[in-house]
Amino acid sequence: MLSDIEIAQNAKMKKITEVAASIGITEDELEPYGHYKAKISDSVLKRLENEKDGKLVLVTAVNPTPAGEGKTTVTIGLGQAMAKIGKKAVIALREPSLGPVFGIKGGAAGGGYSQVVPMEDINLHFTGDMHAITSANNLMCAMLDNHIQQGNELNIDPRKVQVKRCLDMNDRALRNIINSLGGTLNGVPREDHFVITVASEVMAILCLANDIFDLKKRLGNILVAYTYSGEPVYCKDIKANGAMTVLLKDAIKPNLVQTLENTPVIMHGGPFANIAHGCNSVKATKTALKLGDYCITEAGFGSDLGAEKFMDIKCRFAGLKPSCVVLVSTVRSMKYNGGVDKAELTQENMEALEKGSVNLCAHIDNLKKFGVPVVVAINHFYADTDKEIEFIEKLCKEKGAEFAVTKCFAEGGEGSVELAEKVVSACEEENNFHYLYDIDMPLYDKIETIAKEIYGADGVDYTKEAKKSLDEFIKLGADSMPVCMAKTQYSLSDNPKALGRPNNFRITISSANLSNGAGFVVCQTGSIMTMPGLSKSPAAYKIDIDENGNTVGLF
């Protein structure tokens, strides 16, 4: 089989104007970036604001394993399959980050014959949204340091700066730095930090803002620092939010692209789910719901992270109601959770499969707590046996979840027809969607609820630093906000090595941050890197230009 990039480079793409026309977008409502990608004008949502919304389908997954589960691939395959059965679907995805592209994880445009194209553009600079977010964030930081340098009228304590600079690249050297060295002309020296762009609050705000004016207001509410007397200082106080909004005026518009089978895809925003809220933008999802009978979207990593935040943060803020959840798993992931080494996952092992299936069961149980129908999608790999598939199907039925095998990686939309039919049926089932917790519940109780109900923890412990921060945030109004947990994606617990369905453990909150503009409190559990580093052999080693000027090695 060809590599992902070879398949993508051989794709027969339609002009983006044709893709737009297929879902009722006129040329006047598009802002083209070349022939195959475009921004969608704000006028589209305004024109369709009184139209009925389509069905919202969330695709999530079990905890990721080194074998790979293919959640984005399944999302794209499902969207393509919807067209195969005569349904009008629009896919809504996050944008890739350059960090994983040049690191280990790879891109975020699917794989095999279920990809979004133009793949190279999407995984690299795309329409410049990541650069705009990086620039807006760093403008805020520059204006903050400039304020301190130019007399410090607000009496800001440089030791209590809350915001960090960002870069859309894995660069461990920038995690902890000292800035403004070299004398008085270069500013007031202080400890500073970088996070990867997708972990910045500006990214979260862009993805939750309803429009440009909501964006400006939220940017203004970012908590940037404290004064020497302990009073909060916000982004609007340093007069940065207006200029930041101007930098983001194009970035807030959703991007339109297509799959290999020319299914429309709205791709916008890209917060990670292990360190942020893990969902594409509210604007992208709402646009897709107006343009299609079905909006197929995804949330990052496992359901313990992305799906929980999708329900409790994104749906709460945007007034969204999912009609169905697709839970992606694989035979290989269950055997891995059952203790099988990665090198031996292609061998049938019913004992390990049964042992590791507790992880799948935990995710089914968690999703049912939101009152939404669940369809389990087993992403098929060549070594899967009939006996293994039959075991999982029986298990899912016992848990009250629908079940389908998808072969979308090798067969595209045709390989997900059964899944599409199950999803359509599930969307017509009784739906009692509700949030995991009441927004008026005290902040500590919300944290406890997530830890116990979703992770299966016995309780929550707090470091002295974390408790001090949370108590301070409560004084600033955080009790009325949802919680965004920063946690390892590899386990239901905060220990990445605890596979399966861990029990008899407690979650430790090591630190906390107030994303006041985004409107949630971030609680860090364990050791979560907000600025990743490159591995000993990063993917960047294989990426190159050949003698014909073509990109090679990009997956």
Side-chain angles (χ1 to χ4, degrees):
M1 185 169 169
L2 298 175
S3 68
D4 288 354
I5 192 169
E6 288 171 329
I7 293 170
Q9 288 172 339
N10 290 326
K12 295 180 180 178
M13 290 185 285
K14 289 184 178 179
K15 293 289 181 66
I16 200 63
T17 49
E18 291 183 63
V19 177
S22 72
I23 48 175
I25 299 176
T26 67
E27 285 193 40
D28 291 341
E29 295 171 325
L30 277 186
E31 298 174 14
Y33 281 64
H35 296 301
Y36 303 110
K37 55 187 188 288
K39 287 281 185 184
I40 300 175
S41 170
D42 293 336
S43 60
V44 173
L45 266 182
K46 291 177 183 177
R47 173 170 62 83
L48 299 173
E49 61 183 349
N50 295 319
E51 295 292 320
K52 183 181 177 181
D53 284 347
K55 303 283 189 181
L56 179 58
V57 178
L58 172 68
V59 181
T60 185
V62 296
N63 295 103
T65 68
E69 284 60 56
K71 173 165 50 67
T72 303
T73 301
V74 172
T75 304
I76 296 164
L78 173 58
Q80 293 180 149
M82 284 291 198
K84 296 283 185 184
I85 63 171
K87 303 296 181 182
K88 184 181 178 184
V90 179
I91 303 168
L93 298 174
R94 294 174 296 163
E95 300 177 46
S97 162
L98 288 179
V101 168
F102 292 111
I104 289 179
K105 187 175 181 291
Y113 289 93
S114 292
Q115 292 188 60
V116 182
V117 285
M119 185 261 249
E120 292 169 61
D121 293 10
I122 290 166
N123 279 307
L124 298 175
H125 300 290
F126 201 19
T127 57
D129 293 345
M130 291 289 182
H131 304 312
I133 293 165
T134 302
S135 297
N137 181 91
N138 293 344
L139 171 64
M140 170 180 63
C141 294
M143 291 180 71
L144 174 64
D145 281 314
N146 185 61
H147 181 93
I148 295 171
Q149 167 74 355
Q150 304 290 353
N152 200 2
E153 181 183 345
L154 294 172
N155 209 28
I156 292 169
D157 187 344
R159 300 165 300 177
K160 296 181 180 178
V161 170
Q162 301 296 298
V163 291
K164 300 178 175 74
R165 288 172 162 83
C166 71
L167 188 71
D168 189 33
M169 193 61 64
N170 292 358
D171 193 347
R172 63 171 57 84
L174 295 176
R175 286 174 188 159
N176 303 293
I177 63 171
I178 302 295
N179 67 19
S180 304
L181 298 180
T184 56
L185 289 177
N186 295 324
V188 177
R190 66 175 180 87
E191 182 180 359
D192 202 358
H193 312 271
F194 272 78
V195 298
I196 193 165
T197 297
V198 292
S200 69
E201 186 178 353
V202 176
M203 169 63 82
I205 287 171
L206 183 91
C207 290
L208 292 172
N210 288 310
D211 53 43
I212 194 78
F213 304 107
D214 185 34
L215 176 69
K216 180 181 176 181
K217 181 180 178 181
R218 286 174 176 270
L219 292 171
N221 288 334
I222 295 174
L223 177 67
V224 297
Y226 288 96
T227 66
Y228 282 105
S229 59
E231 295 300 310
V233 179
Y234 299 101
C235 185
K236 58 191 173 187
D237 297 328
I238 60 170
K239 301 181 177 64
N241 57 316
M244 292 168 70
T245 305
V246 172
L247 280 173
L248 295 169
K249 68 181 180 66
D250 292 321
I252 195 175
K253 299 172 185 176
N255 308 297
L256 181 66
V257 282
Q258 62 190 292
T259 70
L260 293 173
E261 297 178 14
N262 312 120
T263 308
V265 180
I266 299 177
M267 207 167 204
H268 193 221
F272 285 173
N274 57 343
I275 50 181
H277 73 283
C279 310
N280 68 315
S281 76
V282 165
K283 285 198 72 172
T285 302
K286 286 188 171 181
T287 303
L289 284 168
K290 292 297 184 185
L291 293 169
D293 296 327
Y294 295 86
C295 167
I296 315 295
T297 191
E298 69 167 1
F301 293 124
S303 74
D304 54 318
L305 289 169
E308 185 273 317
K309 295 169 186 177
F310 179 89
M311 308 291 192
D312 286 322
I313 297 176
K314 181 174 178 176
C315 288
R316 193 190 302 267
F317 284 161
L320 300 171
K321 180 180 178 181
S323 298
C324 163
V325 178
V326 175
L327 176 61
V328 179
S329 186
T330 63
V331 171
R332 303 192 307 178
S333 74
M334 279 177 260
K335 288 190 286 193
Y336 184 83
N337 274 280
V340 176
D341 186 80
K342 181 182 176 182
E344 299 174 1
L345 291 175
T346 55
Q347 300 173 22
E348 184 177 274
N349 189 329
M350 297 305 298
E351 182 181 350
L353 182 69
E354 184 174 356
K355 182 182 176 183
S357 66
V358 296
N359 186 260
L360 173 63
C361 291
H363 287 278
I364 294 173
D365 291 341
N366 285 346
L367 291 169
K368 283 187 168 292
K369 291 175 181 177
F370 295 97
V372 181
V374 178
V375 178
V376 173
I378 296 298
N379 192 10
H380 188 273
F381 286 80
Y382 73 94
D384 298 349
T385 68
D386 291 344
K387 191 176 179 181
E388 290 171 328
I389 297 294
E390 287 167 8
F391 169 81
I392 301 170
E393 181 173 15
K394 182 182 177 184
L395 179 71
C396 291
K397 288 180 178 177
E398 289 172 355
K399 298 293 294 183
E402 276 293 346
F403 170 90
V405 173
T406 172
K407 298 180 179 180
C408 56
F409 182 89
E411 300 177 12
E414 195 62 47
S416 282
V417 166
E418 180 193 6
L419 175 60
E421 291 170 342
K422 294 283 179 71
V423 166
V424 169
S425 297
C427 286
E428 301 305 320
E429 291 179 17
E430 182 180 353
N431 189 319
N432 299 306
F433 172 67
H434 55 268
Y435 308 121
L436 184 69
Y437 52 81
D438 189 282
I439 197 64
D440 295 323
M441 183 185 288
L443 183 62
Y444 283 106
D445 290 350
K446 292 171 191 168
I447 297 168
E448 192 100 359
T449 298
I450 296 170
K452 288 182 175 180
E453 295 294 325
I454 301 299
Y455 308 154
D458 295 330
V460 182
D461 298 318
Y462 300 87
T463 64
K464 185 177 179 181
E465 177 194 357
K467 191 164 190 318
K468 181 182 178 182
S469 296
L470 289 169
D471 289 343
E472 180 63 38
F473 300 156
I474 289 170
K475 293 177 185 177
L476 299 177
D479 240 11
S480 62
M481 295 182 180
V483 175
C484 180
M485 298 289 265
K487 183 184 76 70
T488 178
Q489 65 268 35
Y490 299 115
S491 172
L492 286 162
S493 74
D494 56 359
N495 175 6
K497 296 181 180 179
L499 302 180
R501 190 172 195 167
N503 53 43
N504 300 319
F505 69 94
R506 295 177 68 82
I507 290 285
T508 298
I509 306 298
S510 56
S511 64
N513 298 293
L514 177 59
S515 290
N516 195 60
F520 53 69
V521 178
V522 180
C523 291
Q524 289 250 39
T525 69
S527 179
I528 302 297
M529 286 296 177
T530 53
M531 170 52 86
L534 293 172
S535 67
K536 190 172 183 179
S537 181
Y541 282 174
K542 301 174 183 177
I543 299 171
D544 205 346
I545 294 288
D546 69 13
E547 62 276 7
N548 297 315
N550 297 317
T551 302
V552 294
L554 193 65
F555 330 122

